[in-house]
Amino acid sequence: MPRLRRRHFLQLAGASLGAIALNPLIHQGDRFNQAMAQTTGKKLALLVGINQYPGSIGSLGGCINDLRLQYKLLVHRYGFDPQNIVVVADENTTFNLPVKELISPPTRQAILDAFQTHLIAQAEPEDAVIFHYSGHGTYVNDPHPIVYPSGQDYLNFSTYDGFDNKDGALVPFDAKDGVGAGEANVILGSTIFLLSYALKTENVTLILDSCYSGGGVRGNLIYRATLDENTSPSQVERDFQEQLIQNLDLTRAKVQELRQAGIAKGVAMTAARATQTSAETMAVSNFRAGIFTYLLTRYLWQTNTARPVAESFINLARITQSEIDKFGGAQNPIYFAKPNSGLENRPPYLL
């Protein structure tokens, strides 16, 4: 995953949000911002960030800072209670912000358990749910592939080129533990799709700051690095997915139909198209972050909280595309909404 190390990133992003978002000055606007972002239900968030990986999987530098930026936005702009936020992150990480629970290390089972116990078990129909992931990912062979749509999106980019017979997957800390040759202990994108489907609320927002994240909304997640492209998911992961399908009283054919139609619930905001990489860089001195999370956070701090997702994201995508063009790269964020839901006309985070 290419990383931009440019001193003028502050010029790229405008005001120094990396500093502002972690500065006590933001508390001055807490009561006003929270009043602007009320919802009739709870606000639950699960933030997953992985910088440190063992062995041959290269480590990252900005994922935990992505979570700090997201946390500050949720708490001080959108009125989330810290006791409704769970963080899954590197062991011995210094998060230094109050949360319901900080879970380490970020293993496959830890991430799945947190999604099930914190989000699925607690979310009710009127609640708002946020899932943010920053970390590595990979292409794997899809045991049950779907046919991705051709054509161009609203910014005239092709969204799913090159995804035939592939699925994306989260790469947890223990991705290479206890697996055979040609396998990885990953979390399939289609598993995340099923976990999202299990939520009792439609007010679901996925924020994916990672390479190829535009493929992460129809059960297809790929993040900041790759393993061998011929890798297959572990048998444990396949068995877990089949158990989810049974628990949801679905058939495999129905799951394929749902994935083919589009996103499972709510809205997804992704850092890049399905075939693009996403970059992280030094936002301010000694503060590395994902460019998408940085710009998203900055934009949502400044824009009207009632502005619809569709309008906000078109503006954000153009800003990001314009700034990345200065580095000669290609990173075009995109959003997805559940088909025929109209949720793209709701404010960000569906509050």
Side-chain angles (χ1 to χ4, degrees), residues 127-143:
D127 294 347
V129 167
I130 307 293
F131 176 75
H132 180 112
Y133 178 86
S134 290
H136 274 315
T138 187
Y139 287 104
V140 295
N141 298 316
D142 191 346

Side-chain angles (χ1 to χ4, degrees), residues 264-342:
K265 289 284 180 76
V267 170
M269 304 179 184
T270 74
R273 269 45 179 188
T275 56
Q276 292 178 328
T277 57
S278 65
E280 64 177 37
T281 193
M282 200 70 73
V284 295
S285 179
N286 298 319
F287 187 90
R288 180 175 290 279
I291 288 179
F292 174 68
T293 295
Y294 188 93
L295 292 176
L296 172 68
T297 310
R298 172 179 175 262
Y299 182 84
L300 292 181
W301 269 102
Q302 295 177 344
T303 193
N304 187 325
T305 55
R307 193 181 303 277
V309 169
E311 182 181 342
S312 295
F313 212 86
I314 289 174
N315 293 336
L316 177 65
R318 287 172 177 163
I319 292 168
T320 305
Q321 179 181 346
S322 175
E323 300 303 338
I324 292 295
D325 282 347
K326 297 176 183 178
F327 300 110
Q331 180 179 336
N332 307 103
I334 190 169
Y335 78 91
F336 299 82
K338 181 179 177 179
N340 304 314
S341 67

Side-chain angles (χ1 to χ4, degrees), residues 174-248:
D174 58 342
K176 291 192 173 182
D177 290 356
V179 294
E183 292 186 345
N185 190 33
V186 297
I187 301 173
L188 286 170
S190 45
T191 296
I192 299 297
F193 180 94
L194 290 168
L195 291 170
S196 300
Y197 185 86
L199 291 163
K200 298 183 183 70
T201 178
E202 294 291 333
N203 302 322
V204 179
T205 303
L206 306 179
I207 300 98
L208 312 177
D209 191 346
S210 55
C211 293
Y212 318 114
S213 52
V217 294
R218 300 192 181 202
N220 195 343
L221 296 171
I222 302 177
Y223 296 102
R224 279 175 164 157
T226 59
L227 301 173
D228 189 327
E229 289 189 6
N230 291 320
T231 300
S232 295
S234 66
Q235 189 61 50
V236 171
E237 171 67 6
R238 296 188 190 200
D239 291 344
F240 176 72
Q241 188 173 113
E242 293 304 320
Q243 186 62 55
L244 279 178
I245 293 173
Q246 181 177 336
N247 293 345
L248 291 167

